[in-house]
Amino acid sequence: MFKLRELPFDPNTNAVVSAQTCEYHHGKHHATYVNNLNNLTKEGEFAGKGLYEILLKSSGGLYNNAAQVYNHDFYWDCIAKKSEPSAELKAALAENFADFKDEFIKAATTLFGSGWAWLVFDTASKKLRIVQTSNAVTPVNENLVPLLVVDVWEHAYYIDNFNARPKYLEAFYENINWEFVSQAYEWAKKEGMGSVEFYINELHK
């Protein structure tokens, strides 16, 4: 049975999201995806399977709920604390993007409707990329290793910022847990998609 992960930060002091947002976003939205995932895997092909395998092989409602569990798990780590990127990640961002902040914020701002903006490691090209995904879709299905994600579903920011997505994105960017992103990059280069499976299994043993 899958369990809702605990937040890796104190909701009362987080600089990106308020305690009230966490109450709804984590305590209701994220929790609902976990509950749905458990109900959808009580029997059938995916009964007893791990979240990573479900992400790769499922479709429809099962995939949507599994992906949303993973996407939210990852998002919370990205805003767990404000920290600095490693020298290695800084160099990679400079090499792959003319202006990473501008490009990432633009991708998150211009994504139509609900979804996610990601920094990923492309296992084929060994390059960093910024990608947008709609609704529940995760880049994991394209052999892309997530390093950083921002949630741009309205429920991620509406309580704190109403419809001002750019304001939320600025707060997000100024408080990224770059230490987590840097570690994800280091492991992505070493283990490729195996790093995604390891991350998932650490949370959903």
Side-chain angles (χ1 to χ4, degrees):
M1 176 172 288
F2 300 99
K3 294 183 179 180
L4 176 67
R5 70 163 297 177
E6 293 183 3
L7 288 173
F9 56 82
D10 181 350
N12 295 301
T13 58
N14 189 273
V16 181
V17 289
S18 68
Q20 187 180 20
T21 287
C22 290
E23 180 184 350
Y24 283 90
H25 195 180
H26 175 260
K28 298 187 183 300
H29 289 283
H30 193 177
T32 296
Y33 296 128
V34 174
N35 290 336
N36 288 344
L37 178 60
N38 283 322
N39 288 331
L40 291 167
T41 55
K42 282 182 178 178
E43 55 187 24
E45 178 185 356
F46 294 98
K49 301 297 184 181
L51 181 58
Y52 183 71
E53 184 176 354
I54 295 171
L55 276 181
L56 295 184
K57 298 180 179 179
S58 67
S59 61
L62 176 55
Y63 171 79
N64 287 336
N65 283 281
Q68 285 291 70
V69 170
Y70 168 73
N71 292 352
H72 283 86
D73 286 344
F74 203 81
Y75 169 71
W76 301 128
D77 280 320
C78 289
I79 61 170
K81 64 180 181 180
K82 182 176 183 177
S83 57
E84 294 299 317
S86 65
E88 183 179 31
L89 179 59
K90 277 186 178 180
L93 292 172
E95 178 182 345
N96 287 271
F97 306 102
D99 185 331
F100 173 72
K101 178 182 178 180
D102 181 68
E103 293 178 49
F104 187 80
I105 293 291
K106 182 177 180 181
T109 303
T110 60
L111 190 148
F112 182 77
S114 300
W116 309 79
W118 307 78
L119 170 68
V120 299
F121 176 75
D122 189 322
T123 57
S125 67
K126 309 301 181 185
K127 300 289 187 181
L128 298 183
R129 292 171 51 192
I130 295 170
V131 297
Q132 300 170 317
T133 62
S134 295
N135 299 318
V137 177
T138 171
V140 172
N141 298 95
E142 302 296 328
N143 287 320
L144 302 173
V145 181
L147 306 181
L148 171 69
V149 70
V150 62
D151 186 345
V152 289
W153 284 64
E154 280 195 339
H155 63 240
Y157 58 87
Y158 206 88
I159 290 174
D160 300 333
N161 300 284
F162 298 102
N163 63 335
R165 185 188 289 186
K167 181 181 177 184
Y168 157 69
L169 292 174
E170 279 296 327
F172 171 89
Y173 196 89
E174 292 307 312
N175 293 280
I176 289 173
N177 184 7
W178 285 111
E179 180 181 331
F180 172 75
V181 182
S182 298
Q183 291 172 347
Y185 177 54
E186 180 181 349
W187 281 104
K189 292 201 302 177
K190 290 179 180 177
E191 304 292 339
M193 295 304 297
S195 65
V196 179
E197 185 174 12
F198 178 81
Y199 171 82
I200 288 173
N201 289 343
E202 282 291 289
L203 291 175
H204 299 281
K205 296 178 181 177

